Amino acid sequence: MSSLEEYLSLHYPVQITEDPDEGCFIVSCPDLPGCLTSGETLDEAITNAIAARCRWLAAAYSQGIPIREPGTAQPDVACLTLSISRSLHRLLSKRARTAGMTISQYCVDLLSRASTVPAEG
């Protein structure tokens, strides 16, 4: 790319996450590290994301910081699908609610803690 206008014309993918604790939507642009914003409504979050992307690109361009092409960022998360019994699912669900987490958050927490335990052998 040779001009800021060319970067501004590109369509960068965004990730939108609802944060019920804060009562807002958080928007990040994986291809533009640190480009993050939020809004109380989805429309506000998207509007703020467009403005944040423009400011991020303008700042990076003016400072000579390398700018990634859209869709080139490595994902920060991987997806794991498990088949578990209904009774285990109910138990995990109940414990997650008690901990104030989603079942996904609870399982990630359990796996993170278990992975720090030294392996036997």
Side-chain angles (χ1 to χ4, degrees):
M1 298 281 146
S2 59
S3 73
L4 175 58
E5 290 72 29
E6 288 178 291
Y7 284 110
L8 291 170
S9 70
L10 298 175
H11 298 283
Y12 284 89
V14 297
Q15 292 179 339
I16 302 172
T17 307
E18 185 175 8
D19 186 339
D21 296 331
E22 295 295 323
C24 68
F25 293 88
I26 300 168
V27 185
S28 64
C29 187
D31 295 307
L32 308 176
C35 185
L36 179 75
T37 189
S38 65
E40 290 184 13
T41 66
L42 188 55
D43 287 339
E44 181 182 358
I46 291 169
T47 299
N48 292 345
I50 293 167
R53 178 186 61 91
C54 292
R55 286 191 305 272
W56 192 100
L57 288 169
Y61 189 82
S62 70
Q63 295 173 27
I65 296 171
I67 301 172
R68 293 180 182 157
E69 297 286 324
T72 58
Q74 295 296 322
D76 288 341
V77 295
C79 184
L80 172 66
T81 303
L82 298 172
S83 297
I84 60 175
S85 68
R86 290 178 195 264
S87 60
L88 178 57
H89 188 274
R90 279 192 301 274
L91 175 65
L92 291 170
S93 235
K94 181 179 178 182
R95 289 186 177 174
R97 276 192 307 275
T98 301
M101 301 178 183
T102 65
I103 190 170
S104 292
Q105 292 168 326
Y106 185 73
C107 289
V108 167
D109 183 61
L110 286 175
L111 290 169
S112 295
R113 284 190 272 138
S115 68
T116 62
V117 175
E120 293 181 23

